[in-house]
Amino acid sequence: MEKDQHTHIVKYKTYVYVLIALLFMTFVSVIVTEIDLGPYTVTMALLLASIKSLLVLLIFMHLKFDKKFYGIMVASVFLLLACVIVITFMDYLYR
């Protein structure tokens, strides 16, 4: 185990703000599915889900306070996921 590990303490207020933001975005995503936006319904739902997962990764999983290498790895996974989703939508649109 490394001897020079640094700990960080996140205030409870930050967790409460993130919880409120997550609940608000969940409420918005439910409302968006009820409104007919055509092809933008799925896009909006995926965008909100991505923002929510980013909040969870940064705050609850403490990625914000970890080494930059972990952030780069997570960003590369998100980039790969975005590429797969875009390719899937392109395949669906041009069939």
Side-chain angles (χ1 to χ4, degrees):
M1 195 173 245
E2 293 181 24
K3 295 185 187 237
D4 57 334
Q5 285 185 338
H6 300 285
T7 60
H8 58 275
I9 298 173
V10 180
K11 295 180 182 180
Y12 287 121
K13 187 166 59 169
T14 304
Y15 288 134
V16 171
Y17 288 151
V18 171
L19 174 65
I20 290 170
L22 290 171
L23 289 173
F24 175 74
M25 283 188 274
T26 301
F27 178 73
V28 169
S29 64
V30 169
I31 297 299
V32 164
T33 58
E34 298 295 324
I35 300 170
D36 184 26
L37 297 176
Y40 297 113
T41 304
V42 175
T43 305
M44 187 63 139
L46 286 173
L47 181 68
L48 286 170
S50 298
I51 294 170
K52 289 191 306 186
S53 65
L54 186 66
L55 273 174
V56 169
L57 282 169
L58 287 176
I59 304 300
F60 290 117
M61 296 179 72
H62 302 277
L63 190 61
K64 181 179 178 181
F65 307 106
D66 276 338
K67 296 177 183 176
K68 296 297 176 192
F69 175 73
Y70 298 132
I72 292 170
M73 293 303 292
V74 169
S76 64
V77 168
F78 269 109
L79 182 64
L80 179 64
L81 178 65
C83 288
V84 168
I85 289 173
V86 166
I87 290 170
T88 302
F89 277 127
M90 295 300 268
D91 181 47
Y92 178 74
L93 287 174
Y94 292 111
R95 276 191 182 203

